[in-house]
Structure formats: structure tokens, C-alpha cells
Amino acid sequence: MRQTISVLVENHPGVLARISGLFSARGFNIDSLAVGETEDPSVSRMTIVAEGDERTLEQIKKQLNKLIDVITVTDLTKTKFIDRELILIKVGIRAQNDRTKIIEIAETMKANVADLGLHTITIEAVGETSHIDDLIELLRQFGIKEIVRTGKIAMETESREKPKTIKEEEE
């Protein structure tokens, strides 16, 4: 089971090491980790995505709550939330018409051309993980040279209805 956890922490050196060490000690791989300052510069928000059985992840959440630098732990998987990820994908240009096809795919997927070179095109996109994964699959045929992903960021929503995905909004 994949879980998305939001952790508010004191913005101090060493906090990230203590939290990642907690996951490591339990043998959990962190699939995605994004950290950034909040509206209060003394507080950072970590969005952690990890896969594992519910019992062990519940233990990790309890252990996180015991760390002195942790302010709150929220399991977003059990709430309504929105999530986004940023990706940069450098794609090779092998044939003359590849450039046009890659740009068309980027436009269709509401992505942008971040850099246009003689031998590569770099595409930037923001969206849900499934949207990003779809873009990668569409561009794979051209030869992906490099991928940089931010990791998921997520925020609990106020609305009671489940937020629409990008695909649902397009329909």
C-alpha cells in the first residue's frame, strides 16, 4: 500500500537525517521525498511517499510523532488531498520529424518546452504522478536522455468532494 504522509518539522539542520534514518531503520524505502519551507520560515513541510504494509507504516507515524523536531504528522492517504510533481525530461532527436512530434506531445499533455537544442528537447511538466508517468511513456519512444523529478508535494483539501484529476478536468 502506497501512503502519502505530510510532516511539519522544525526547520533545523539534521532533521531530514533523523526522519530518513527512521524509515531506513525499519527497512522502508522512501519512494518520494519533498521538503520545503512553509509560510513560517522556522517550519518545513515534508511530503513523504512510501510503500509498505499498514501496520509498519502506522509504527513509523507513531515514531515520527515522538521526534522532538516533528510538529505534526498527517496521513494524507486517509484524507482528501491534491498532489503535484514537477518533472524535466530531456529527449533525444533522432529524426527530423521527431522535434515536431515531441512538441505536439508536450502541447497535448499541457507540458512546456524548457530547452530546445540541436540534438535534444527538454520538456517540463507539472501534474499528478499518473499524468507525469503518462508523459514519460509517450516520450520514451524518442529516447529519454535524462529525467529529473521533484517528488510529490501534497496538501489536504478543504472540500469534502474528492478533487478532480487533471484527466477528469479535461473531460
Side-chain angles (χ1 to χ4, degrees), residues 9-162:
V9 297
E10 298 290 334
N11 190 1
H12 296 285
V15 174
L16 176 60
R18 283 188 283 282
I19 289 179
S20 64
L22 198 124
F23 278 79
S24 173
R26 300 279 185 285
F28 266 102
N29 185 38
I30 296 174
D31 293 332
S32 168
L33 172 65
V35 184
E37 198 174 273
T38 65
E39 65 280 2
D40 177 353
S42 67
V43 176
S44 293
R45 178 181 309 274
M46 295 183 169
T47 304
I48 303 168
V49 179
E51 190 158 339
D53 65 81
E54 186 149 342
R55 188 179 71 81
T56 309
L57 282 173
E58 195 62 41
Q59 283 182 326
I60 286 176
K61 287 184 280 187
K62 287 177 183 174
Q63 293 295 317
L64 284 171
N65 275 315
K66 290 180 182 175
L67 292 177
I68 193 154
D69 299 316
V70 172
I71 300 166
T72 61
V73 177
T74 305
D75 182 356
L76 293 175
T77 311
K78 296 180 178 176
T79 67
K80 305 288 186 219
F81 68 98
I82 54 173
D83 61 72
R84 297 293 184 264
E85 189 175 350
L86 168 67
I87 187 169
L88 296 171
I89 310 170
K90 188 180 289 181
V91 184
I93 301 170
R94 292 183 255 180
Q96 186 62 32
N97 62 352
D98 282 358
R99 184 182 308 267
T100 304
K101 290 178 184 175
I102 292 167
I103 291 171
E104 285 175 3
I105 289 171
E107 289 173 355
T108 302
M109 297 296 289
K110 299 187 179 185
N112 298 311
V113 175
D115 183 59
L116 192 58
L118 289 176
H119 307 291
T120 62
I121 296 177
T122 302
I123 305 295
E124 68 178 2
V126 175
E128 297 160 359
T129 302
S130 62
H131 179 76
I132 299 297
D133 290 342
D134 290 346
L135 178 61
I136 291 170
E137 285 310 309
L138 289 169
L139 294 174
R140 193 172 301 281
Q141 63 185 306
F142 300 101
I144 293 174
K145 301 291 186 192
E146 189 175 354
I147 291 177
V148 179
R149 295 174 84 150
T150 59
K152 183 192 286 190
I153 58 169
M155 180 181 279
E156 193 171 7
T157 61
E158 184 179 348
S159 66
R160 293 188 178 268
E161 292 181 26
K162 183 180 177 188

